[in-house]
């Protein structure tokens, strides 16, 4: 009878619905107008571009929600093994264009808007970026979510909903200033607040031993409780109904919080103190390399880990009763060491809350975690024991016990080799005793993934050499990838149409390997013509942006010039300084040329962009130097269009979408052995830009695909870098003029002597590349000659536009391997062991 009642209710509800939302332009228009009036609360007879954006976003969101519900109902019904992708950062950028493309309603939306008097591109521009991450790692998470949805994998992303994303970079007089990015100011139509999905997250307190069923049991008595509220962000797949979930947590004061405080009579202070809970998820740490030793950072990590795991365990327990099934149903992926506290938390849940017993719990834990490391350095993330002891006392005990058991096992294998034991230990002894998060993640994960072949090799032979000796079977390579949906289809519609026309299919949008078919048209003159036209239009778009954005400097750039781009976070190892020194050298050469020689010069527009971590002084000086050099060169009427230097401020995903398609040449200059993978290089490759690069990270694999002749390679190889450093240091008189290439010495002297002003300010920057000070750790001096040769080769190739176009076509044709679809499929099959689960229509 219960079932009959349920069916009758369902039928009645169904009869009230009009079925699925329709996607023809008229239905879309009706929905847009509905949202203008009832969601945005504007008159349907008068609304502007931003309000049109809001209304369209809600119209698209409704459609996303339908699919998202269906996907989850289907997953619930079929109970597949699920992947939980844990990452403290997701750099999603804008959602509108990506969503309409993945839903397959882009033309209909454009037509609907058109009939209402709006233009899709203009409306889409109204959206701000969701910048909940720093750079490569965070954008990778976003690309991988797109691939997980597209390939129908039953996956969830978990992260933090920072109220302040990555700071906005403002440039004043050439100096970087940081402005908070309160990105939620105008609402966020792409998220769904789930006020009923909340969990309590506990901190501080003590651990007590209690007697339970005749056995001693540890119990954590926490001292502070904060509430985690879920915000869900639907992620639609392309060419599928599957729409998966990215669940981000926000901290709120617990409703049970501190009743006592209110009874003290200090009501105002109690409310203010309550508010402090919310600061946990307030702000993203803006350093993409280190976050050591900060209590708030540790709080963020545990807040995120605790809420996510409570949610994951609840879902598991709704469907299963036996924890032995956990490894068959749950894969937990650690995106870098940031979420590694998950290991201790799962142990705590299984041992203290589910009373499974240590060994059984440990056995399960070792089967569910996998780990990807993004670093080259041995000295990775560490948490001071003092901090853990006060914030998470029970977790510290668990970590000690994990380490004790691990070391005992280790002694059986390697004997009492104390120096090796100390190296491998999860606990680092010393002045500041701390937990090594990478060691923890390696010990507990069934797979440890590097992000390029070169990176894996480095992990095996250097970074985690000792661990590799212990667990060779754990170490795998999963070269990073980027999604062609965003990085061609959304950001380069001209190229999308061209590729589809010449391949005769759009299937490459789901299967990037098909891009290799472009090689069949390599010598077709019409194809070349259309290819060049697409690039020209993208360059025009970029030039307009530069002119509009940099109005103060009244900068105009010539479309005939080579657009030469280096955009990424500013770091010494990424060597933006090498680029700037190269520009100064080019300037010197131009100044010394006669008129005839100048006529043969390929004009250049050198574009640099990227943020420096707020506390990273040298990186900030690099930004200032870039501006100082630009000011000098751009105002030198003698040089004119032959050389222009542009710094594009506030580099983020939507700026990348504009800049990358418009670049002719892109620079990836990291000293070999420093970039774990790099993903910027892949995006430029997909957009037909030629790379000028070192043999570092994933560039080595790009060379395997397109051949050394198809890019401009320079600099020391990984195996040469260490030798050169040694040589430099053992050189007794390294500042002898003969030891420093003449061109380099000259450029350095110009900066040092104040040719670009700010002599004192640039002194410490110059010292980084001088012996006796910074010792030129990143080898700018020794790579400079080879860098200039690569630049000259690029100039030469650009003159021959047929050759250049061939190289450009071959770049795109060889980019299929760098789709994140390939990365994700590889992870799914060999690491997570999950299967596609496609929601039926
Ligand atoms: N920041 C943004 C906004 C990006 O889109 C990318 C691209 O991959 C990166 C940073 C990382 O660039 P790279 O791999 O060149 O350091």
């Amino acid at each position: 009878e219960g079932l009959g009642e349920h069916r009758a209710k369902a039928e009645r509800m169904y009869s009230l619905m009009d079925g699925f939302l329709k996607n023809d332009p008229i239905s879309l228009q009706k929905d847009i107008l509905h949202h203008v009036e009832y969601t945005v609360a504007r008159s349907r007879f008068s609304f502007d571009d931003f309000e049109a954006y809001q209304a369209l976003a809600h119209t698209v969101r409704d459609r996303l929600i339908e699919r998202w519900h269906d996907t989850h109902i289907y997953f619930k019904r079929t109970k597949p093994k699920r992947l939980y992708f844990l990452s403290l950062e997701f750099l999603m950028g804008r959602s509108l264009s990506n969503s309409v493309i993945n839903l397959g309603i882009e033309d209909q939306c454009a037509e609907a808007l058109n009939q209402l008097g709006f233009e899709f591109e203009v409306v889409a521009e109204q959206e701000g970026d969701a910048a909940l991450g720093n750079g490569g790692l965070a954008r990778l998470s976003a690309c991988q979510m797109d691939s997980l949805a597209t390939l129908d994998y039953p996956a969830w992303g978990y992260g933090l909903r920072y109220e302040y994303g990555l700071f906005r970079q403002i440039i004043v007089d050439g100096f970087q200033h940081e402005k908070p990015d309160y990105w939620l100011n105008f609402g966020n139509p792409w998220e769904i607040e789930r006020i009923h999905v909340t969990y309590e997250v506990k901190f501080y307190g003590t651990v007590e031993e209690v007697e339970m069923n005749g056995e001693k049991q540890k119990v954590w008595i926490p001292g502070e409780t904060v509430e985690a509220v879920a915000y869900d962000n639907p992620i639609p797949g392309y060419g599928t109904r599957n729409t998966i979930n990215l669940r981000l947590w926000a901290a709120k004061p617990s409703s049970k919080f501190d009743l006592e405080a209110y009874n003290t009579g200090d009501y105002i202070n109690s409310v203010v103190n309550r508010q402090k809970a919310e600061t946990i998820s307030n702000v993203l740490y803006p350093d993409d390399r280190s976050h050591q030793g900060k209590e708030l950072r540790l709080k963020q990590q545990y807040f995120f880990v605790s809420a996510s795991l409570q949610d994951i365990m609840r879902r598991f327990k709704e469907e299963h009763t036996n924890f032995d099934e956990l490894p068959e149903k749950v894969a937990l992926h650690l995106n870098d060491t940031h979420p590694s506290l998950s290991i201790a938390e799962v142990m705590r849940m299984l041992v203290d809350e589910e009373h499974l017993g240590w060994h059984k719990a440990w056995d399960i834990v070792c089967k569910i975690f996998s780990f990807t490391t993004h670093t080259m350095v041995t000295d990775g993330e560490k948490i001071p024991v003092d901090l853990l002891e006060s914030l998470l006392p029970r977790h510290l005990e668990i970590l000690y016990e994990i380490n004790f058991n691990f070391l005992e096992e280790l002694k059986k294998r390697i004997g009492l080799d104390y120096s090796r034991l100390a190296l491998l230990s999860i606990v680092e002894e010393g002045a500041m005793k701390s937990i090594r998060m990478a060691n923890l993640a390696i010990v507990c994960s069934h797979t440890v993934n590097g992000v390029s072949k070169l990176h894996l090799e480095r992990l095996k032979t250097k970074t985690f050499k000792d661990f590799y000796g212990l667990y060779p079977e754990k170490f795998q390579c999963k070269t990073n990838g980027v999604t062609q949906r965003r990085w061609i289809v959304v950001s380069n519609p001209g190229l999308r149409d061209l590729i589809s026309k010449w391949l005769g299919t759009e299937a490459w949008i789901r299967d990037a390997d098909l891009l290799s078919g472009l090689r069949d048209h390599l010598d077709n003159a019409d194809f070349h013509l259309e290819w060049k036209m697409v690039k020209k239009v993208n360059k025009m778009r970029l030039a307009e942006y530069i002119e509009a954005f940099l109005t103060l400097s009244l900068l105009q750039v010539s479309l005939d010039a080579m657009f030469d781009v280096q955009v990424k976070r500013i770091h010494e190892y990424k060597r933006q300084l090498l680029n700037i020194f190269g520009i100064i050298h080019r300037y010197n050469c131009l100044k010394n040329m006669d008129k005839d020689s100048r006529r043969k010069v390929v004009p250049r527009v050198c574009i640099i962009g990227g943020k420096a971590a707020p506390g990273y002084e040298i990186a900030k000086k690099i930004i200032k130097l870039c501006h100082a050099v630009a000011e000098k060169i751009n105002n030198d009427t003698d040089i004119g269009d032959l050389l222009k230097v542009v710094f594009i401020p506030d580099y983020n995903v939507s700026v990348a979408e504009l800049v990358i398609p418009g670049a002719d040449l892109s620079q990836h200059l990291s000293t070999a052995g420093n970039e774990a993978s790099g993903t910027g290089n892949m995006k430029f490759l997909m957009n037909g830009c030629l790379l000028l690069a070192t043999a570092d990270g994933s560039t080595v694999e790009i060379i395997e695909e397109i051949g050394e002749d198809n890019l401009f390679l320079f600099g020391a190889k990984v195996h040469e870098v260490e030798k050169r450093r040694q040589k430099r240091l053992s050189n007794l008189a390294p500042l002898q003029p003969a030891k420093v290439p003449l061109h380099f010495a000259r450029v350095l002297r110009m900066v040092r002597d104040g040719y670009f002003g700010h002599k004192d300010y640039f002194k410490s920057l110059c010292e980084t590349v001088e012996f006796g000070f910074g010792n030129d750790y990143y080898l700018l001096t020794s790579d400079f000659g080879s860098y200039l040769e690569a630049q000259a080769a690029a100039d030469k190739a650009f003159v021959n536009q047929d050759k250049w176009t061939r190289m450009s076509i071959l770049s795109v044709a060889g980019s299929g391997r760098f789709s994140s679809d390939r990365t994700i499929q590889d992870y799914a099959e060999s690491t997570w062991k999950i299967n596609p689960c496609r929601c039926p229509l």
Side-chain angles (χ1 to χ4, degrees):
E1 194 170 326
L3 206 66
E5 242 173 61
H6 182 74
R7 174 165 298 168
K9 198 169 152 199
E11 272 173 14
R12 195 182 116 65
M13 285 201 294
Y14 190 73
S15 74
L16 291 174
M17 286 171 59
D18 283 338
F20 289 126
L21 294 169
K22 296 183 181 65
N23 292 326
D24 59 283
I26 296 290
S27 305
L28 286 164
Q29 273 181 64
K30 282 187 189 164
D31 288 356
I32 292 169
L33 291 177
H34 174 90
H35 280 298
V36 165
E37 186 139 8
Y38 300 108
T39 308
V40 186
R42 293 291 295 176
S43 155
R44 55 175 60 204
F45 304 108
S46 157
F47 53 99
D48 62 17
D49 286 334
F50 181 66
E51 287 146 2
Y53 156 69
Q54 288 179 302
L56 176 60
H58 280 278
T59 302
V60 174
R61 168 195 155 114
D62 292 343
R63 283 149 180 84
L64 287 175
I65 289 177
E66 273 185 356
R67 292 165 183 241
W68 176 77
H69 270 141
D70 291 352
T71 308
H72 288 294
I73 290 169
Y74 189 66
F75 288 173
K76 256 188 152 85
R77 191 140 55 85
T78 48
K79 301 187 182 61
K81 179 176 182 178
R82 292 178 176 94
L83 160 74
Y84 296 105
F85 187 87
L86 308 178
S87 177
L88 241 73
E89 298 187 13
F90 288 89
L91 201 47
M92 303 303 284
R94 291 173 175 156
S95 287
L96 178 63
S97 296
N98 197 84
S99 298
V100 300
I101 283 170
N102 281 14
L103 293 175
I105 56 171
E106 49 190 318
D107 293 340
Q108 298 91 315
C109 285
E111 195 180 327
L113 279 181
N114 234 305
Q115 289 176 12
L116 294 170
F118 293 89
E119 232 183 285
F120 184 84
E121 284 73 25
V122 178
V123 167
E125 288 280 313
Q126 305 301 311
E127 184 176 356
D129 268 35
L132 306 185
N134 273 284
L137 172 150
R139 183 52 229 176
L140 181 76
S141 310
C143 283
Q144 294 190 339
M145 288 304 293
D146 180 81
S147 290
L148 282 163
T150 299
L151 299 180
D152 298 318
Y153 286 115
W156 285 65
Y158 278 99
L160 276 186
R161 181 183 180 267
Y162 304 104
E163 280 172 35
Y164 295 89
L166 184 60
F167 65 89
R168 296 227 171 103
Q169 180 190 52
I170 310 288
I171 304 291
V172 182
D173 291 335
F175 292 98
Q176 169 178 301
H177 291 254
E178 299 90 31
K179 239 179 105 175
D181 169 43
Y182 191 75
W183 68 294
L184 297 165
N185 244 352
F186 299 103
N188 175 15
W190 306 108
E191 67 181 10
I192 304 149
E193 185 181 19
R194 316 291 303 222
I195 38 177
H196 60 285
V197 184
T198 63
Y199 296 96
E200 287 184 351
V201 177
K202 319 254 163 97
F203 297 102
Y204 303 106
T206 54
V207 179
E208 288 174 16
E209 210 166 39
V210 295
E211 186 103 357
M212 215 179 274
N213 304 329
E215 276 189 43
K216 289 218 160 68
Q217 179 89 33
K218 292 282 178 80
V219 182
W220 177 25
I221 317 287
E224 186 181 300
T225 303
V226 173
E227 214 157 84
V229 181
Y231 285 77
D232 287 347
N233 299 257
I235 310 287
Y238 176 89
T240 171
R241 198 168 168 74
N242 279 37
T243 299
I244 59 174
N245 195 15
L246 169 60
R247 180 160 281 181
L248 303 178
W249 301 105
K252 298 273 147 83
S254 164
S255 44
K256 288 191 197 149
F257 188 77
D258 231 5
L259 250 189
E260 273 307 301
Y262 287 92
N263 298 334
T264 60
D266 191 359
Y267 171 75
I268 295 294
N269 259 332
S270 306
V271 174
V272 170
N273 279 336
R274 254 173 77 87
Q275 226 53 38
K276 280 191 192 149
E278 291 185 56
T279 58
I280 291 181
S281 59
N282 246 205
V283 55
L284 166 80
Y285 273 85
D287 196 324
D288 58 340
R289 294 228 121 188
S290 72
H291 319 274
Q292 312 285 26
K294 307 266 189 325
E295 187 184 29
L296 180 60
R297 171 76 182 179
L298 181 59
K299 267 190 150 173
Q300 286 188 342
Q301 290 186 349
Y302 181 65
F303 172 78
F304 154 64
V305 155
S306 167
S308 306
L309 287 170
Q310 289 184 64
D311 200 38
I312 293 164
M313 287 296 191
R314 175 195 49 79
R315 192 168 305 113
F316 173 79
K317 282 163 79 172
E318 273 170 18
E319 294 174 1
H320 310 278
T321 48
N322 188 346
F323 280 99
D324 287 336
E325 287 180 78
L326 202 66
E328 281 121 60
K329 292 294 171 189
V330 170
L332 293 174
H333 191 75
L334 306 172
N335 192 29
D336 217 288
T337 49
H338 318 150
S340 302
L341 276 176
S342 305
I343 294 163
E345 177 65 357
V346 175
M347 281 304 285
R348 193 192 63 77
M349 290 168 112
L350 295 182
V351 173
D352 294 2
E353 292 176 1
E354 305 295 341
H355 311 293
L356 238 53
W358 183 273
H359 293 293
K360 186 159 185 189
W362 180 245
D363 186 47
I364 292 171
V365 162
C366 291
K367 289 180 183 148
I368 57 178
F369 280 102
S370 53
F371 167 52
T372 294
T373 168
H374 296 260
T375 181
M376 287 283 201
V377 297
T378 319
D379 219 19
E381 190 181 20
K382 291 176 199 160
I383 303 183
V385 160
D386 288 354
L387 212 57
L388 263 174
E389 194 162 25
S390 98
L391 194 70
L392 300 167
R394 177 63 185 135
H395 294 79
L396 182 61
E397 287 187 357
I398 289 171
L399 290 169
Y400 278 152
E401 192 158 345
I402 291 175
N403 195 41
F404 176 80
N405 293 337
F406 165 61
L407 291 179
E408 287 304 301
E409 270 302 305
L410 207 53
K411 282 180 202 162
K412 285 186 208 149
R413 287 182 66 175
I414 66 168
L416 298 179
D417 180 346
Y418 286 109
S419 61
R420 245 180 111 190
L421 288 169
L423 266 176
L424 290 162
S425 173
I426 294 168
V427 181
E428 184 175 83
E429 302 291 341
M432 184 154 76
K433 195 169 171 179
S434 48
I435 302 294
R436 295 172 174 142
M437 301 304 269
N439 293 26
L440 173 68
I442 297 172
V443 169
C444 303
S445 298
H446 54 75
T447 30
V448 177
N449 301 279
V451 287
S452 69
K453 283 189 193 169
L454 194 99
H455 183 219
L456 178 66
E457 209 36 49
R458 181 76 160 208
L459 296 178
K460 288 178 177 177
T461 55
K462 209 166 173 181
T463 319
F464 300 130
K465 182 166 168 266
D466 290 289
F467 278 111
Y468 179 64
L470 278 183
Y471 312 118
E473 71 291 348
K474 283 193 186 189
F475 285 74
Q476 296 187 4
C477 167
K478 300 283 187 302
T479 301
N480 286 166
V482 301
T483 164
Q484 67 271 29
R485 264 87 55 192
R486 180 169 295 254
W487 296 104
I488 301 181
V489 181
V490 171
S491 63
N492 198 342
L495 186 61
R496 173 222 183 141
D497 291 344
L498 183 64
I499 293 173
S500 300
K501 175 182 160 189
W502 286 85
L503 290 183
T505 172
E506 291 226 303
W508 61 274
I509 302 176
R510 273 183 71 93
D511 180 1
D513 286 340
L514 296 175
L515 289 170
S516 63
L518 293 173
R519 293 189 186 117
D520 297 344
H521 312 289
L522 196 56
D523 296 313
N524 186 308
D526 291 338
F527 184 46
H528 272 226
L529 209 65
E530 290 175 32
W531 192 270
K532 282 192 268 193
M533 204 54 213
V534 167
K535 183 57 79 183
K536 189 126 194 180
V537 170
N538 289 330
K539 283 175 79 169
M540 232 140 69
R541 222 167 38 130
L542 176 54
E544 275 168 20
Y545 181 80
I546 290 172
E547 283 164 26
F549 219 92
L550 306 173
T551 40
L552 275 183
S553 53
L554 293 174
L555 193 69
Q556 284 204 322
V557 293
S558 157
L559 292 183
D560 294 329
M562 183 201 296
F563 281 18
D564 159 358
V565 175
Q566 188 184 19
V567 281
K568 47 182 80 223
R569 287 298 288 256
I570 311 286
H571 264 287
E572 285 162 275
Y573 86 85
K574 290 181 186 274
R575 297 200 294 190
Q576 280 90 356
L577 195 55
L578 190 62
N579 188 357
I580 300 172
F581 277 17
I583 293 169
I584 299 174
H585 172 74
R586 181 175 289 268
Y587 176 64
N588 290 341
C589 293
L590 288 171
K591 293 295 278 182
N592 289 329
M593 268 180 202
D594 58 33
K595 263 195 181 150
D596 258 3
S597 313
R598 279 191 183 187
R599 258 196 290 272
K600 293 184 200 131
V601 165
V602 174
R604 285 254 188 160
V605 178
C606 300
I607 299 165
I608 299 179
K611 295 179 184 179
Y616 190 173
E617 274 308 313
I618 292 295
K620 288 182 145 178
K621 290 187 185 207
I622 293 173
I623 292 175
K624 174 63 188 170
L625 179 61
C626 187
H627 283 91
V629 170
E631 194 179 339
K632 186 90 186 171
I633 296 177
N634 296 347
N635 292 316
D636 188 338
T637 46
D638 186 30
I639 296 297
D641 270 351
L642 290 181
L643 183 59
K644 291 282 177 226
V645 184
V646 180
F647 187 92
I648 294 201
D650 204 33
Y651 181 59
N652 58 22
V653 177
S654 40
V655 173
E657 286 172 26
L658 184 93
V659 171
I660 294 172
D664 291 307
L665 183 76
S666 85
Q667 302 201 33
H668 305 274
L669 313 180
S670 55
T671 317
N674 283 269
E675 192 77 87
S677 165
T679 45
N681 49 357
M682 301 170 183
K683 293 170 189 174
F684 282 100
L685 186 78
M686 268 186 187
N687 281 274
C689 312
L690 306 198
L691 308 187
L692 191 149
T694 49
D696 200 13
S698 58
T699 301
V700 176
E701 286 155 77
I702 290 179
I703 297 168
E704 284 173 11
E705 288 299 300
I706 65 172
E708 226 176 285
D709 296 344
N710 217 65
L711 79 172
F712 308 102
L713 197 63
F714 81 99
K717 302 279 189 294
V718 173
H719 65 277
E720 294 162 335
V721 163
E722 216 36 62
K723 273 188 233 147
R724 288 203 192 174
R725 275 193 191 129
Q726 294 302 334
K727 198 171 151 205
R728 215 174 136 64
L729 286 174
S730 62
N731 194 336
L732 288 176
L735 275 186
Q736 285 171 2
K739 301 286 177 198
V740 179
L742 213 59
H743 296 322
F744 189 83
R746 181 162 178 225
V747 166
L748 180 62
R749 204 167 46 243
M750 286 167 77
V751 179
R752 218 183 200 308
D753 292 352
Y755 188 83
F756 302 99
H758 311 276
K759 187 174 160 190
D760 292 340
Y761 181 74
F762 290 137
K763 184 166 175 272
S764 60
L765 177 60
C766 292
E767 285 174 354
T768 62
V769 293
E770 286 171 352
F771 189 83
F773 300 101
N775 287 333
D776 192 17
Y777 183 76
Y778 293 110
L779 298 177
L780 278 75
T781 320
S782 63
D783 273 353
F784 196 57
S786 139
Y787 175 67
L788 295 183
E789 281 167 24
Q791 285 286 10
D795 281 329
K796 197 166 159 220
F798 197 72
V799 176
N800 182 347
Q801 276 290 302
D802 274 348
K803 181 180 174 198
W804 188 276
T805 306
R806 274 177 72 92
M807 289 172 83
S808 170
I809 294 167
L810 286 172
S811 298
V812 180
S815 68
R817 177 166 153 198
F818 305 100
S819 163
S820 45
D821 295 348
R822 190 259 315 136
T823 318
I824 284 300
Q825 194 158 347
D826 198 1
Y827 269 116
E829 287 167 7
S830 68
T831 300
W832 303 323
K833 314 272 195 247
I834 52 170
N835 295 312
C837 182
R838 193 178 177 91
C839 176
L841 286 178

